[in-house]
Amino acid sequence: MKYALVIFETEESRRRIQAHRDAHRGAYEAWIGRIAAEGKLISGDALDTERITPVTVRKAADGAPTVTEGPVHAGEETLGGWFVVDVADREEAVELAKGLGTPETVEVWPLLETA
């Protein structure tokens, strides 16, 4: 089964990562290397959350788009990136998320199987 491990950052987690960038990069590289070597990593990407803010496009009931600067949901946690993994079940996906050695929050989402 494929799962998305969705990474969320806070100002505090960003500060901790920036203060110890090499250590956190090493933790990410070790974690990514391990799950890739096990054949579980499908893909992953990080968002540029330090220099650029997102643009949100919403559609009204009539289909007209509205464009605003900033994330969909303003709040303490912001989307930082994601990984897609292929594992046996939800529990294994959760265990992978728990093994990420950095201060971000990780949501685990099953991906829809397509035809």
Side-chain angles (χ1 to χ4, degrees):
M1 297 182 68
K2 291 182 183 170
Y3 285 83
L5 307 181
V6 183
I7 311 298
F8 288 90
E9 303 174 335
T10 63
E11 287 299 321
E12 176 59 25
S13 69
R14 271 190 223 96
R15 274 193 294 278
R16 289 170 56 194
I17 288 170
Q18 290 168 352
H20 306 284
R21 189 170 300 279
D22 290 341
H24 288 292
R25 179 171 297 284
Y28 259 114
E29 289 173 354
W31 182 78
I32 291 166
R34 180 176 59 80
I35 64 173
E38 294 171 356
K40 298 174 184 176
L41 180 64
I42 303 298
S43 65
D45 282 298
L47 301 175
D48 184 352
T49 59
E50 293 182 18
R51 297 176 291 160
I52 300 172
T53 60
V55 174
T56 300
V57 179
R58 286 189 169 85
K59 298 285 181 98
D62 65 359
T66 301
V67 178
T68 56
E69 292 291 326
V72 170
H73 300 288
E76 183 175 325
E77 291 185 316
T78 58
L79 182 62
W82 59 86
F83 295 94
V84 176
V85 296
D86 192 359
V87 294
D89 53 31
R90 181 177 184 259
E91 290 73 26
E92 186 176 5
V94 169
E95 288 303 312
L96 288 179
K98 287 167 51 178
L100 180 59
T102 62
E104 294 100 346
T105 299
V106 182
E107 278 188 350
V108 177
W109 284 88
L111 297 182
L112 290 174
E113 296 295 325
T114 57

